[in-house]
Amino acid sequence: GGAEYLFGIEESLKELAQLADTAGLMVVGSTHQKLNSPNPRTYIGSGKVAEIKSAIHALGVETVIFDDELSAGQLRNLEKAFGGDVRVCDRTALILDIFNQRAATHEAALQVALAQMEYQLPRLTKMWSHLERQAGGQVKGMGEKQIEVDKRILRTQIGVLKKELESVRKHRKQYRNRRVSVPVPVVSLVGYTNAGKSTLLNRLTGATVLAEDRLFATLDPTTRRVQMKNGGEFLLTDTVGFIQKLPTTLVAAFRATLEEISESSLLVHVVDISHPLAEQQIEAVDKVLSELDVSSIPKLMIWNKVDKVCDPQKVKLEAQKREDVVCISALSGNGLDEFCSAVQEKLKDSMVWVEALVP
Ligand code: GDP
């Protein structure tokens, strides 16, 4: 990995294991190696390849997942080296798999399909070079021709998908414009995956949105109306969970969904304060947010899961010292009234701001 990563190797691998679990795989082990630069042929060194190969046989491993993106050549060489039916994939392919399993709306499914095809395009070599080898060189060049044909087909499919996506988005935008004309403020929940966004949404609205202790439980934005005790109301939207090393193809794929954030009246950043890497997760989310046009939107930070920290009192004191931080437990409901008041206070500010713009 490069130096720009916020997470250490062990932590990143732990998260990768959690992603694998989310995808329905059982993790039997992990390993890492420090190299000055990745091996261009196999990413890891030959000794490590041999080590993993023997572990594969000893443990009956079916899939080997790498935490960084691999090139087409590296994927092919590693699969050849490990032999048998061992599947080699990288973090990006794994995340794409999860997104694919979990896309619930037509738009999300289209976005994932598009991202998967764009990921495949430069890697379309494997199958045909296998065939060429089997044919014993008699049809040399056939594989290459076939790859070109396949790439052309894939590019055509990508074009079709893009058009379809465009029309789905246009439709959604029309719907959204109608929503904007209703004077109900929109509050967007953002945060690292597993921070507790769905749980908070459920708590506040009585809706049953899938809340699981897994990464990426939420893929499609869900919007619910929240009625407050004093009669006020707002729309609460749950967005896709962020994660470190989110593949660029996916950031692009979900950009349109994320851009909806820029139309909200308030951003609520939900943090799992009980997580040992809470600081790094905050940074990872801020990084994605900085790439969107949201600097003018008021923000509120929620330190969630206070019930899980060993010294809740200390955490609460720390939160009080900061501006715009509210401690809650979405699970027990602790602090929700305070949260609602804080939202209302913030919305008051943003309404003033809107009125100032529209004389
Ligand atoms: P999301 O990915 O941000 O939507 O996170 P979820 O709402 O799916 O929550 C992830 C996990 O954290 C679930 O197992 C929740 O039950 C758990 N969780 C959420 N809020 C709290 C909380 O306040 N306290 C505790 N202990 N667990 C929580």
Side-chain angles (χ1 to χ4, degrees):
E4 81 269 25
Y5 296 136
L6 301 163
F7 293 59
I9 294 174
E10 310 265 352
E11 288 139 0
S12 193
L13 284 177
K14 209 171 136 200
E15 189 176 85
L16 189 72
Q18 219 181 335
L19 282 168
D21 176 71
T22 302
L25 301 169
M26 195 180 84
V27 179
V28 292
S30 77
T31 180
H32 65 264
Q33 178 180 33
K34 279 191 180 132
L35 292 173
N36 286 332
S37 62
N39 183 312
R41 285 197 67 256
T42 50
Y43 184 72
I44 45 176
S46 55
K48 203 69 179 172
V49 171
E51 183 192 316
I52 294 176
K53 193 175 171 179
S54 59
I56 287 170
H57 291 297
L59 301 166
V61 171
E62 291 168 357
T63 310
V64 181
I65 307 168
F66 285 76
D67 200 29
D68 268 323
E69 214 165 283
L70 300 177
S71 70
Q74 287 169 339
L75 277 170
R76 193 173 51 238
N77 293 331
L78 284 166
E79 268 182 327
K80 225 190 295 175
F82 294 148
D85 306 321
V86 176
R87 185 173 91 111
V88 177
C89 79
D90 57 22
R91 181 181 253 260
T92 306
L94 179 65
I95 292 177
L96 284 169
D97 261 2
I98 296 170
F99 272 76
N100 194 30
Q101 286 171 9
R102 287 173 175 249
T105 64
H106 185 47
E107 185 180 5
L110 287 174
Q111 283 174 333
V112 176
L114 186 62
Q116 276 183 323
M117 283 186 187
E118 282 175 342
Y119 174 82
Q120 275 165 10
L121 196 58
R123 294 177 175 81
L124 255 195
T125 54
K126 197 182 139 232
M127 195 166 68
W128 293 108
S129 52
H130 270 310
L131 284 185
E132 217 172 62
R133 248 182 299 131
Q134 276 167 14
Q138 284 170 10
V139 282
K140 211 166 170 42
M142 183 198 101
E144 244 152 81
K145 245 182 241 152
Q146 195 55 51
I147 290 167
E148 277 319 303
V149 172
D150 282 0
K151 282 196 173 166
R152 216 162 44 226
I153 294 172
L154 206 54
R155 277 196 203 101
T156 310
Q157 285 173 337
I158 286 176
V160 171
L161 268 186
K162 279 186 173 162
K163 277 219 184 78
E164 200 178 339
L165 204 50
E166 214 173 286
S167 95
V168 170
R169 278 179 187 153
K170 217 185 262 167
H171 187 84
R172 187 162 51 87
K173 201 162 182 174
Q174 280 165 357
Y175 173 79
R176 200 164 64 211
N177 285 345
R178 246 180 293 153
R179 195 176 75 191
V180 169
S181 68
V182 181
V184 177
V186 176
V187 177
S188 290
L189 296 178
V190 296
Y192 206 78
T193 185
N194 231 35
K197 299 180 294 298
S198 310
T199 310
L200 179 60
L201 189 79
N202 285 342
R203 261 281 158 198
L204 287 168
T205 66
T208 38
V209 175
L210 187 71
E212 286 184 81
D213 198 8
R214 299 210 145 158
L215 301 178
F216 294 121
T218 316
L219 261 192
D220 299 290
T222 320
T223 304
R224 295 279 190 280
R225 190 178 287 261
V226 179
Q227 215 95 39
M228 280 179 290
K229 283 177 186 152
N230 62 8
E233 63 176 358
F234 55 89
L235 295 180
L236 190 63
T237 296
D238 185 7
T239 53
V240 59
F242 298 167
I243 196 162
Q244 59 117 6
K245 288 209 258 182
L246 195 65
T248 45
T249 38
L250 268 181
V251 174
F254 280 86
R255 193 157 194 103
T257 317
L258 291 175
E259 268 166 2
E260 273 200 41
I261 295 173
S262 64
E263 289 174 28
S264 39
S265 326
L266 175 66
L267 288 187
V268 173
H269 183 165
V270 183
V271 177
D272 175 357
I273 201 65
S274 73
H275 198 285
L277 293 177
E279 283 296 328
Q280 284 89 335
Q281 295 185 340
I282 291 171
E283 243 181 276
V285 170
D286 282 340
K287 195 163 160 254
V288 178
L289 285 180
S290 71
E291 285 162 21
L292 303 166
D293 187 22
V294 296
S295 55
S296 60
I297 303 174
K299 285 176 200 65
L300 186 65
M301 192 180 271
I302 297 299
W303 286 359
N304 188 32
K305 308 198 191 179
V306 274
D307 58 285
K308 232 176 138 184
V309 299
C310 51
D311 191 352
Q313 220 40 51
K314 193 176 147 216
V315 173
K316 279 179 191 164
L317 279 175
E318 184 59 36
Q320 273 165 11
K321 271 192 252 161
R322 310 206 187 183
E323 225 183 307
D324 301 331
V325 174
V326 180
C327 277
I328 65 161
S329 166
L331 202 63
S332 74
N334 209 320
L336 286 191
D337 283 344
E338 213 185 324
F339 165 69
C340 281
S341 318
V343 166
Q344 211 156 25
E345 204 51 43
K346 278 274 158 194
L347 285 176
K348 234 191 281 162
D349 295 347
S350 78
M351 290 304 173
V352 170
W353 182 76
V354 171
E355 274 166 14
L357 273 186
V358 189

